[in-house]
């Protein structure tokens, strides 16, 4: 194998420079795993026997990244590379970080502290692989296996529990049975992990090729530490001609049909989360979920705040969840579409159509052609509205507050009410969006 041909020349330069100064150096971790799998690594991490001060002495441009843990960033041209001294770690008291680290000179000791065997491989362009835990073999077997004792690794840093599921989602690997047992034994330690760190791992699962890994989170009892509100969806059946699955499996199937966009994936994840609270069954045994978009939007807002998502994401996801079944509320007309555009704007409306499509593809397949046809019809009407510059918000009105004040309307609430009346008028009669006509309409 010629994996070293993939290593950037700058990384090779760092390794060569350190070795000329009498130290060992290897590329290590995820980049080696990706190299073996034929994937393009995102980052190239280097590990070395050199102490941090020796790394800094060997290069002109460096800065301290995590100097207490032995990490120095080396700058070569415009690229930044993290170089970390071989180390072993002391006691973990908070399930997050060690109390102290000790620098060592043996690469195998350094590899012994890493999370999974596939990430505990070092590679040197001349000496080849250092693989004390059979990581290469496990990669070939598509297996995620803890280094040494799983319980020890998860007790050290409980976030590794979610990393195991995340790697499974991203790589399509199976989690080793002993590692699964370690997860079950240590899952309670996730309560010690910050919401931000949990969020980051969970979002990577949601954005992966296999969002169905959320089922693994449920099966292993991990959802209660991430998204407890989703758990009831697994026991919420949908006995309805339009549905194939319970709410949870419908949701994940819909996520699989959604582009890898954070707002879209989160919207699909949460669009039906309120169904468990509103489910009712009629005399024919058919389930109904009246009002579930509003309930789901309320839950979504709380969930996203708990996960420390930014306000813009929370706003967009909540809107998409609120409106995801607009097409079931009343007859589709241009006026109705413009009323929705007024709230969502054009970009979010386009995302709403993607939500509709993903939702439909996760329902009864015999009704899919009809639903896709309706979505295409909505898209056509929306495009006509845009091309014809039909007004659907206050900014597009041919008049503004200043025009109305000039016509004698007192500044304040009355101006706002008049503009809303004018907007409602031109949404219904787009050809009337002319300044003179609107002034006359308001006067009347």
């Amino acid at each position: 194998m010629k994996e070293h041909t993939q290593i950037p020349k700058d990384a090779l330069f760092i390794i060569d420079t350190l070795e000329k100064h009498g130290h060992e150096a290897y590329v290590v971790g995820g980049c080696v795993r990706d190299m073996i799998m034929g994937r393009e690594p995102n980052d190239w991490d280097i590990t070395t026997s050199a102490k941090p001060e020796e790394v800094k002495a060997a290069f002109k441009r460096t800065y301290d990244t995590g100097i207490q843990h032995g990490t120095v960033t080396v700058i070569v041209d415009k690229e930044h590379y993290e170089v970390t001294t071989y180390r072993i770690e002391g006691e973990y008291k908070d399930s997050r970080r060690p109390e102290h680290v000790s620098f060592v000179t043996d690469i195998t000791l350094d590899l012994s502290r890493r999370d999974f065997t596939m990430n505990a491989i070092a590679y040197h362009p001349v000496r080849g692989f250092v693989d004390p835990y059979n990581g290469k073999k496990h990669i070939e077997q598509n297996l995620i296996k803890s280094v040494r004792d799983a319980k020890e690794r998860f007790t050290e840093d409980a976030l590794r529990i979610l990393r195991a599921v995340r790697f499974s989602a991203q790589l399509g690997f199976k989690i080793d049975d002993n590692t699964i047992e370690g997860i079950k034994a240590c899952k309670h330690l996730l309560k010690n992990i910050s919401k931000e760190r949990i969020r980051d791992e969970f979002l990577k699962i949601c954005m992966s090729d296999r969002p169905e890994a959320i089922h693994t989170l449920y099966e292993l009892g991990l959802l209660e530490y991430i998204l407890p509100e989703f758990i009831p969806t697994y026991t919420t059946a949908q006995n309805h001609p339009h549905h194939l699955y319970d709410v949870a499996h419908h949701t994940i199937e819909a996520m699989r049909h959604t582009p890898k966009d954070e707002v879209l994936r989160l919207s699909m994840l949460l669009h039906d989360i309120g169904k468990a609270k509103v489910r009712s069954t009629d005399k024919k045994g058919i389930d109904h979920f009246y009002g579930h978009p509003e309930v789901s939007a309320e839950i979504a807002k709380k969930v996203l705040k708990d996960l420390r998502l930014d306000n813009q994401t929370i706003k967009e996801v909540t809107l998409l969840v609120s409106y995801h079944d607009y097409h079931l509320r009343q007859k589709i007309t241009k006026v109705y579409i413009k009323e929705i555009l007024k709230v969502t704007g054009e970009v979010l409306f386009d995302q709403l159509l993607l939500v509709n499509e993903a939702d439909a593809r996760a329902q009864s397949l015999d009704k899919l052609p009809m639903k896709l046809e309706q979505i295409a019809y909505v898209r056509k009407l929306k495009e006509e509205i845009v091309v014809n510059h039909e007004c659907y918000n206050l900014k597009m009105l041919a008049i503004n507050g200043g025009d109305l004040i000039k016509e004698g309307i007192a500044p304040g609430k009355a101006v706002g009410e008049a503009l809303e009346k004018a907007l409602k008028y031109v949404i219904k009669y787009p050809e009337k969006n002319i300044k003179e006509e609107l002034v006359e309409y308001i006067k009347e």
Side-chain angles (χ1 to χ4, degrees), residues 399 418 420-426 429 432 435-444:
I399 58 170
E420 284 294 338
K421 286 181 181 177
L423 177 59
K424 191 171 183 181
Y425 180 59
V426 299
Y429 304 106
K432 300 294 184 180
K435 183 176 180 179
E436 293 74 18
E437 292 203 25
L438 290 178
V439 169
E440 199 60 36
Y441 174 74
I442 294 298
K443 283 181 177 179
E444 291 175 0

Side-chain angles (χ1 to χ4, degrees), residues 9-31:
K9 60 178 176 45
D10 294 340
L12 291 172
F13 166 75
I14 292 171
I15 291 171
D16 186 54
T17 301
L18 287 169
E19 300 212 332
K20 283 179 178 175
H21 282 74
H23 312 294
E24 289 181 356
Y26 296 82
V27 287
V28 70
C31 61

Side-chain angles (χ1 to χ4, degrees), residues 109-125:
L109 284 175
D110 179 84
L111 297 175
S112 73
R113 68 178 174 80
R114 295 175 183 265
D115 53 5
F116 307 110
T117 60
M118 64 182 185
N119 297 330
I121 311 171
Y123 182 79
H124 188 276

Side-chain angles (χ1 to χ4, degrees), residues 48 79 96 115 151 173 236 266 297:
T48 179
E79 298 301 319
R96 290 184 57 194
D115 53 5
K151 290 180 186 178
F173 284 14
T236 304
L266 287 173

